[in-house]
Amino acid sequence: MSWRIANECAERRFGSAARKQIIMFLADKASDDGSGIWCSKGTIQRHTELSESTVKRTIIDFLREGILIETGRRHCKNGYTVIYRIVLERVAALEPTAEPDIDTGVTVNPVQPEPGTGSTVNWVRGSRWTPNHPKTIHKPPTRKREAAAEVEDFEAEKILAAYPEDRIRDRRTSLRLIAAAVKAGVKPDDLKQAVKAYAKESEGYTRSKVCFSDNWFKMRRWETGLAQVQADREKAREAEAKGRASLAEWIHERHPLCRHITNRQIEDLIASKLVTPEQVRAAGLQA
């Protein structure tokens, strides 16, 4: 068992609770350099209480992502067991679980290297960490920040809910990628429409042709649907402008069809300065 590997893995995000549980179990079997892990997938399944398919899929994903590599095989009663090594460089490149440091602008002794000495009365020691130490547990977010985060999470959940349910995988990563797209400026409603367009387009696809949600958002495949949504919206604007111009022409010509123009359309035409109230009244309409 290596506390070093276990601590390194514990401080990184792996995308889901199942992935984290499996990597922590493997870290428990590793040497300090991450090597020497030999345990069957059945053993992992029994100890983590995850499904066999989840364990197999996760190990394959770790190998593909370079988090794990095979270093050999060891004979056992059922044939052989693969020996793995956790690649520390790949683990260190993952997103940390700790909150990022907040720059307070302090220039003199920004971080005290030593823990506090505490009170000298009755030899009671104070806190282990000084208040501005990086490992100090910060106060929870304010209600305003919590409310904003809840709104973002709710929007991301609504968008993900539009994705075909049988292809949703690694929900946490999918939601994180959705939130990143929205934060980058993509309108939630537009992104949701792009997801719905893909769901409709891929309806009836065989399993070999479908794309799971985490990969779909990671590869930004929503950009195609987003471009179509914007193109459709532009066509709708052009059609609306054309229709408005036709109504204005009827009023200018005092066409008999003017009687079919609604009050709301008249208000819109006047606001758009395509007609004047005098022209409307001259056509026999109420301005």
Side-chain angles (χ1 to χ4, degrees), residues 34-66:
S35 65
I37 304 169
W38 59 281
C39 53
S40 68
K41 296 179 181 64
T43 300
I44 299 173
Q45 187 270 327
R46 286 193 302 274
H47 283 267
T48 60
E49 299 185 34
L50 297 170
S51 68
E52 186 177 352
S53 60
T54 298
V55 172
K56 288 181 179 179
R57 183 178 66 248
T58 302
I59 294 296
I60 291 172
D61 288 344
F62 282 158
L63 291 169
R64 187 179 66 250
E65 295 165 14

Side-chain angles (χ1 to χ4, degrees), residues 155-175:
E155 290 290 351
E157 288 282 1
K158 286 200 301 183
I159 294 169
L160 185 59
Y163 204 84
E165 187 177 358
D166 61 330
R167 300 176 220 163
I168 294 178
R169 184 180 70 182
D170 196 349
R171 176 177 291 273
R172 183 173 182 175
T173 296
S174 300
L175 292 172

Side-chain angles (χ1 to χ4, degrees), residues 130-204:
T130 53
N132 60 340
H133 195 282
K135 291 191 176 181
T136 298
I137 299 176
H138 300 286
K139 292 182 179 180
T142 63
R143 290 184 179 179
K144 187 175 181 180
R145 285 171 57 193
E146 284 180 340
E150 286 177 3
V151 171
E152 291 177 0
D153 292 344
F154 180 66
E155 290 290 351
E157 288 282 1
K158 286 200 301 183
I159 294 169
L160 185 59
Y163 204 84
E165 187 177 358
D166 61 330
R167 300 176 220 163
I168 294 178
R169 184 180 70 182
D170 196 349
R171 176 177 291 273
R172 183 173 182 175
T173 296
S174 300
L175 292 172
R176 177 171 57 80
L177 293 169
I178 291 171
V182 172
K183 192 173 182 180
V186 180
K187 294 182 179 179
D189 287 341
D190 291 352
L191 185 54
K192 186 176 180 180
Q193 290 302 318
V195 173
K196 286 184 175 180
Y198 168 73
K200 185 176 180 180
E201 172 197 343
S202 61
E203 190 176 1

Side-chain angles (χ1 to χ4, degrees), residues 15 26 31 58 66 69 91 115 155-156 160 165 172 179 194 235 238:
L26 296 175
S31 302
T58 302
I69 59 173
V91 173
E155 290 290 351
L160 185 59
E165 187 177 358
R172 183 173 182 175
K235 287 181 181 178
E238 292 176 359

